[in-house]
Amino acid sequence: MTGAHVDVMDTVRLARMLHVSDRMIRLLVDHHLLPEPGRDGWPSPQVRALVARHDWLRLLGTPLSRRELHGLNTTLEMPEDAFSMAGRQYAPLYRILERAWAGPPPEHHAAWAADPLF
């Protein structure tokens, strides 16, 4: 008899769950905000626990205003292609992070690895 089967999430499934592109999952791993996946992906129980502990992961696909964005991080900027509604600019958090991470990770991102999310 084999051990209990642990459900795993591959990149596509995790991206759908977080409402982001597959590319964004790789960026989250590269910036030490998600651990490297195992051979088959990420264990679903750990992913669910991670999302429960880190509210911003649920916000990745949500359009945020500049005020909401700066409530999370004042160093992040709105992308040029942000849409306007009621006189305010909005952009999904994952698009904002993609823009911020367009170059190599800054030195301070290495410190995030010392405080892993899992």
Side-chain angles (χ1 to χ4, degrees):
M1 180 173 214
T2 61
H5 173 71
V6 175
D7 187 28
V8 295
M9 291 189 175
D10 63 8
T11 300
V12 172
R13 188 171 164 203
L14 182 55
R16 285 184 181 149
M17 177 187 163
L18 298 176
H19 305 285
V20 299
S21 65
D22 297 358
R23 180 180 177 279
M24 187 63 197
I25 299 301
R26 186 72 243 166
L27 286 171
L28 291 169
V29 171
D30 290 347
H31 285 80
H32 308 287
L33 297 172
L34 284 177
E36 287 287 339
R39 186 174 52 102
D40 297 324
W42 294 268
S44 293
Q46 286 182 332
V47 169
R48 287 186 186 90
L50 174 72
V51 171
R53 281 193 317 265
H54 300 284
D55 292 337
W56 62 269
L57 283 170
R58 286 188 295 249
L59 297 175
L60 286 171
T62 303
L64 301 177
S65 69
R66 185 178 314 277
R67 184 179 195 180
E68 293 166 326
L69 175 62
H70 286 173
L72 293 174
N73 185 320
T74 58
T75 65
L76 295 173
E77 302 272 336
M78 279 288 174
E80 293 82 30
D81 62 349
F83 66 90
S84 292
M85 186 170 54
R88 292 187 180 157
Q89 286 188 309
Y90 290 85
L93 181 56
Y94 81 91
R95 296 290 311 277
I96 295 165
L97 292 174
E98 284 177 341
R99 180 182 177 273
W101 295 341
E107 291 298 319
H108 68 273
H109 287 192
W112 294 347
D115 184 23
L117 298 179
F118 282 121

